[in-house]
């Protein structure tokens, strides 16, 4: 059985937010796909914060080869900045870990999911190239 890291996060707990609904959906996915689930939950932690205890533990274990899949309920639960999300997705790719985002329908365990992942990665690389060009042009002008 493939071991799946399931990551759930809410930023505020005082407004009644709870990771339970995310965890339930992720556990249902794991059951459907016959994955062995390992759940990582963060409550009261902002997605803008890149260093989070449970995410850090998940990524350490991912790098050690413990997981074949990383699943999240929605991309913004994993991270709020595009560079951080891309870094995590790149780590998944480097370590042979498939990625699933339930809400967005991104699932690199399928051919269409791999295509979407490639398109997103290409767009991010394109945006980075444009940013570098703008910075260089600004510096040359200055």
């Amino acid at each position: 059985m493939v071991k799946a890291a399931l990551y759930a996060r809410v930023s505020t707990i005082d407004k009644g937010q709870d990771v339970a609904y995310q965890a339930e959906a992720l556990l249902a996915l794991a059951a459907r796909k016959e994955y062995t689930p390992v759940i990582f939950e963060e409550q009261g932690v902002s997605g803008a914060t890149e260093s989070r205890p449970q995410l850090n533990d998940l990524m350490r274990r991912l790098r050690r080869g413990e997981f074949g899949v990383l699943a999240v309920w929605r991309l913004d639960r994993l991270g709020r900045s595009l560079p951080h999300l891309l870094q995590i997705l790149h780590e998944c790719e480097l370590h042979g870990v498939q990625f699933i985002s339930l809400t967005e329908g991104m699932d690199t365990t399928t051919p269409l999911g791999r295509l979407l992942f490639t398109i997103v990665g290409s767009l991010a690389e394109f945006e980075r190239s444009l940013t570098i060009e703008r910075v260089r042009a600004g510096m040359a002008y200055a």
Side-chain angles (χ1 to χ4, degrees):
M1 263 191 159
V2 173
K3 201 174 194 182
L6 311 177
Y7 183 77
R9 180 192 62 78
V10 293
S11 55
T12 57
I13 52 177
D14 60 339
K15 295 181 181 177
Q17 289 186 0
D18 193 331
V19 295
Y21 68 95
Q22 295 175 36
E24 186 177 310
L26 291 167
L27 288 168
L29 166 78
R32 274 193 318 276
K33 296 235 183 191
E34 299 182 349
Y35 297 147
T36 301
V38 178
I39 193 139
F40 297 84
E41 296 178 346
E42 310 258 23
Q43 294 206 38
V45 180
S46 170
T49 305
E50 290 185 14
S51 181
R52 295 173 243 150
Q54 290 293 303
L55 181 60
N56 294 345
D57 185 33
L58 183 159
M59 294 306 294
R60 254 191 310 279
R61 293 174 67 180
L62 182 143
R63 289 179 194 110
R64 287 196 311 242
E66 289 187 35
F67 303 113
V69 172
L70 167 57
V72 297
W73 183 71
R74 196 167 70 196
L75 279 172
D76 70 351
R77 302 297 85 202
L78 190 57
R80 289 288 192 172
S81 79
L82 183 59
H84 186 229
L85 282 171
L86 292 174
Q87 175 189 352
I88 292 170
L89 294 175
H90 180 68
E91 290 265 350
C92 287
E93 188 176 35
L94 279 177
H95 298 283
V97 175
Q98 299 297 315
F99 180 77
I100 299 172
S101 176
L102 287 175
T103 303
E104 288 87 5
M106 183 181 285
D107 182 348
T108 63
T109 67
T110 68
L112 180 59
R114 287 189 295 278
L115 173 65
L116 291 174
F117 180 81
T118 302
I119 291 169
V120 168
S122 296
L123 291 172
E125 185 177 332
F126 175 68
E127 177 60 30
R128 184 172 185 273
S129 297
L130 291 177
T131 300
I132 290 169
E133 285 179 12
R134 287 191 297 266
V135 168
R136 286 185 181 151
M139 290 173 63
Y141 180 75

